[in-house]
Amino acid sequence: MEGLTVTVNGQPRGIQDAKPHTTLLNWLRDGGLTGCKEGCAEGECGACAVLVSRPDGRGGTRLESVNACLVMLPAMNGQEVITAEGIGSPGHLHPVQHEMAVRGGSQCGYCTPGFVISMAAEYYRPERRDGEHHTPNGFDIHSLSGNLCRCTGYRPIQDAAHALGTPPEDDTLGTLRTRPSPTVQPTHLTGPDGEFHRPADLPEALELLAANPDATLLAGGTDWGVEINIRHARAKMTIAVDGLAELRELEWHDDHVRIGAGLNLTEIERRLDGRIPLMAEWFPQFASRLIRNSATLGGNIGTASPIGDSPPTLLALDASLILASRQGEREVPLSEFFEGYRQTKLGDGELIRAVKIPLPLAPITGFYKYAKRRFDDISSVAVGIAMELDSNNVSRIRIGLGGVAATPIRALKAEEALIGKPWTERNVREAAALMGQEGTPLSDHRASAKYRAAMLEQALLKFFFEKSEAVRG
Ligand SMILES: Cc1cc2nc3c(=O)[nH]c(=O)nc-3n(C[C@H](O)[C@H](O)[C@H](O)COP(=O)(O)OP(=O)(O)OC[C@H]3O[C@@H](n4cnc5c(N)ncnc54)[C@H](O)[C@@H]3O)c2cc1C
Ligand code: FES
Ligand code: FES
């Protein structure tokens, strides 16, 4: 193919020799934009953060922050990126840079461009309203949860965030939001270290996959990017699926909601707008805003990690998956999808097209995640629960578990102990003891087997005490 083009800070840059595994971060830095830094190369520190232009669904543009270390350069063909250098300059500081400077938000400065980018994304977030998130300027401090600072301390950074106003009418980047964002560009790249394809539509993607069943699917890159950077994994062929319109639908039907596997978690959160309360409770506990701006539901399920957070949530919601291949589509209950450690029912040439959640939803739900850090961490144990009571008897209950077996599982013993029984402390304590025996938890660097079993028990008790209060009102 001809070269790729990426617009950086308003200037289109041609790339003639792009390689499938080059990261956006390395390319930007090689091109002299050294504001973005490599701190960890695995999505944990935010030093590499950049803004990308994305459609806002109304013909305009949203400016969203992503980890450039996890973005593959060919995936950015035709797209627009803004780095810290494009936000402001010495003598013409952007309001975010100004507040960071005058409030002492920077010492060594290594983390600062990344903080500035995450802060700018929040500054331009159209839904930001006074008083939201209990801050006078509506700034969601969790938008910075993917940025680490090792020397300044977070207080002055937080002060800078809370001092920000709203963008003035003539703000250059603010105005950018009124223009349409770049469209997804089909891309085909063949080089000595592999091929990269961004197909134009689902049929083309399925043709490619049928002919190359060993190809690696790329969505948000938050798992695959880590494999590339840290484990030096390389794919003979990469097929990007996150831009496929067929994987980006979110539809409400009478008896189910269908969520496209290629939508990232921020988009899903925004588009559901709290209408699936269990997912609304789960989203903020997943990684950081930087990661959620890229990570897709399809990627989270497709990696088949036993500690992924979406399976426990979706098992509780009794979800099924729509799998697509050149032969057509089939529906598989999520509870039957995982067959063993990192093994699934996905056949050769098949991908996850959508997740289907049956309606009506069970009204009482809870998500409990036990991890070493409150934010931006993978689960040691995760528990999703969805329940319905009929005159205080449990008429329906689904409990999804992560981190206690080779695959995500349902807590069948605890479910069975509760179904049809009165929702009382005694019955719940009995079920919780059984829940502590679910799965085959292992001891590893995250948690011991004993701790994991204890947390299972605790999660059900916590659900009882929290939600019984809510039920009693
Ligand atoms: C710092 C950090 C924090 C994280 N925190 C969490 C966390 O709190 N909870 C959690 O669960 N995970 C977490 N993760 C893991 C990761 O973000 C998620 O698994 C994410 O959902 C992966 O989605 P993706 O779109 O980025 O996948 P990608 O990296 O693009 O793809 C990963 C793999 O998924 C498969 N895949 C992708 N799309 C499809 C599809 N449509 N059909 C079939 N297979 C597909 C392919 O095999 C692909 O190689 C974290 C990762 C990082 C780097
Ligand atoms: S370099 Fe640390 S998140 Fe990218
Ligand atoms: S200022 Fe040094 S790491 Fe943040």
Side-chain angles (χ1 to χ4, degrees):
M1 68 164 287
E2 297 146 39
L4 316 182
T5 306
V6 179
T7 298
V8 184
N9 300 330
Q11 299 297 320
R13 291 187 174 201
I15 312 156
Q16 293 309 325
D17 53 354
K19 299 196 174 85
H21 303 100
T22 302
T23 63
L24 176 62
L25 175 64
N26 284 341
W27 178 72
L28 287 170
R29 288 181 57 80
D30 286 350
L33 294 166
T34 50
C36 44
K37 307 281 190 289
E38 181 179 289
C40 64
E42 55 178 333
E44 302 262 359
C45 74
C48 62
V50 294
L51 292 176
V52 290
S53 301
R54 288 179 169 165
D56 69 356
R58 296 186 303 272
T61 293
R62 294 184 76 93
L63 298 174
E64 293 189 332
S65 53
V66 299
N67 298 107
C69 68
L70 300 180
V71 176
M72 294 306 114
L73 179 60
M76 290 302 293
N77 186 24
Q79 302 303 301
E80 179 168 45
V81 181
I82 298 152
T83 67
E85 291 88 344
I87 286 198
S89 55
H92 292 94
L93 292 183
H94 184 276
V96 163
Q97 294 166 323
H98 174 79
E99 293 301 341
M100 282 286 274
V102 298
R103 287 169 204 279
S106 175
Q107 279 188 34
C108 79
Y110 201 85
C111 68
T112 310
F115 269 101
V116 161
I117 290 289
S118 289
M119 229 180 252
E122 181 61 11
Y123 179 68
Y124 291 114
R125 182 169 63 90
E127 300 85 5
R128 186 162 66 94
R129 284 180 290 270
D130 292 355
E132 204 193 26
H133 306 295
H134 311 291
T135 59
N137 64 351
F139 193 98
D140 177 10
I141 205 67
H142 293 305
S143 63
L144 306 182
S145 62
N147 295 85
L148 292 186
C149 176
R150 287 294 180 227
C151 42
T152 300
Y154 295 101
R155 176 65 193 277
I157 296 173
Q158 193 163 320
D159 289 348
H162 289 162
L164 288 167
T166 44
E169 284 285 301
D170 59 349
D171 182 284
T172 319
L173 287 180
T175 324
L176 199 73
R177 293 179 304 173
T178 59
R179 293 193 334 223
S181 71
T183 51
V184 176
Q185 296 293 315
T187 302
H188 301 280
L189 187 80
T190 306
D193 63 347
E195 295 179 33
F196 179 97
H197 298 278
R198 185 183 279 293
D201 53 24
L202 183 61
E204 189 191 338
L206 296 176
E207 280 299 327
L208 265 170
L209 197 53
N212 305 277
D214 293 335
T216 296
L217 298 180
L218 173 68
T222 61
D223 273 320
W224 180 233
V226 176
E227 292 296 314
I228 290 177
N229 293 342
I230 306 297
R231 298 192 185 91
H232 305 288
R234 294 294 180 264
K236 275 195 196 139
M237 180 185 283
T238 305
I239 305 177
V241 294
D242 55 319
L244 296 171
E246 297 91 335
L247 268 65
R248 298 183 46 78
E249 299 156 335
L250 195 155
E251 294 165 352
W252 288 83
H253 298 268
D254 287 347
D255 61 351
H256 70 274
V257 191
R258 188 179 158 119
I259 304 175
L263 290 168
N264 69 51
L265 299 187
T266 296
E267 287 175 288
I268 301 173
E269 182 179 18
R270 197 166 54 235
R271 287 173 65 176
L272 290 179
D273 197 20
R275 282 177 290 171
I276 303 185
L278 180 57
M279 292 183 84
E281 200 176 325
W282 161 58
F283 288 129
Q285 300 184 56
F286 187 106
S288 61
R289 178 59 71 201
L290 279 165
I291 294 287
R292 294 200 297 280
N293 282 345
S294 293
T296 65
L297 211 44
N300 198 247
I301 300 166
T303 50
S305 163
I307 49 172
D309 285 344
S310 72
T313 313
L314 295 171
L315 284 168
L317 293 171
D318 211 11
S320 54
L321 304 180
I322 307 294
L323 307 183
S325 71
R326 210 172 48 166
Q327 282 72 43
E329 294 192 357
R330 63 182 176 132
E331 188 171 334
V332 174
L334 184 62
S335 55
E336 293 168 20
F337 179 69
F338 302 105
E339 295 191 315
Y341 180 70
R342 303 255 182 198
Q343 283 170 354
T344 70
K345 277 218 158 63
L346 268 184
D348 277 354
E350 208 168 30
L351 54 71
I352 305 168
R353 177 172 178 175
V355 173
K356 216 173 134 181
I357 298 171
L359 296 175
L361 299 168
I364 309 167
T365 56
F367 179 76
Y368 303 94
K369 173 165 172 169
Y370 300 90
K372 286 200 164 180
R373 289 192 308 246
R374 180 83 182 83
F375 293 107
D376 206 8
D377 204 359
I378 312 256
S379 302
S380 302
V381 174
V383 180
I385 311 177
M387 176 181 79
E388 187 161 6
L389 294 180
D390 184 359
S391 314
N392 207 44
N393 279 343
V394 180
S395 54
R396 128 161 106 132
I397 185 156
R398 288 272 185 283
I399 306 175
L401 308 179
V404 292
T407 66
I409 54 169
R410 278 207 10 227
L412 293 172
K413 288 181 211 154
E415 286 178 13
E416 216 175 282
L418 285 167
I419 195 79
K421 301 262 176 64
W423 184 238
T424 59
E425 183 174 342
R426 191 181 155 167
N427 288 340
V428 174
R429 282 196 182 280
E430 275 173 27
L434 290 171
M435 188 138 133
Q437 297 164 26
E438 303 274 6
T440 47
L442 296 175
S443 295
D444 64 13
H445 63 286
R446 283 202 175 81
S448 67
K450 208 168 154 191
Y451 174 82
R452 286 188 157 105
M455 289 311 103
L456 289 183
E457 205 169 327
Q458 285 306 310
L460 189 57
L461 292 174
K462 199 169 176 190
F463 179 73
F464 174 77
F465 288 111
E466 273 181 12
K467 305 297 165 174
S468 299
E469 233 160 70
V471 172
R472 278 197 297 270

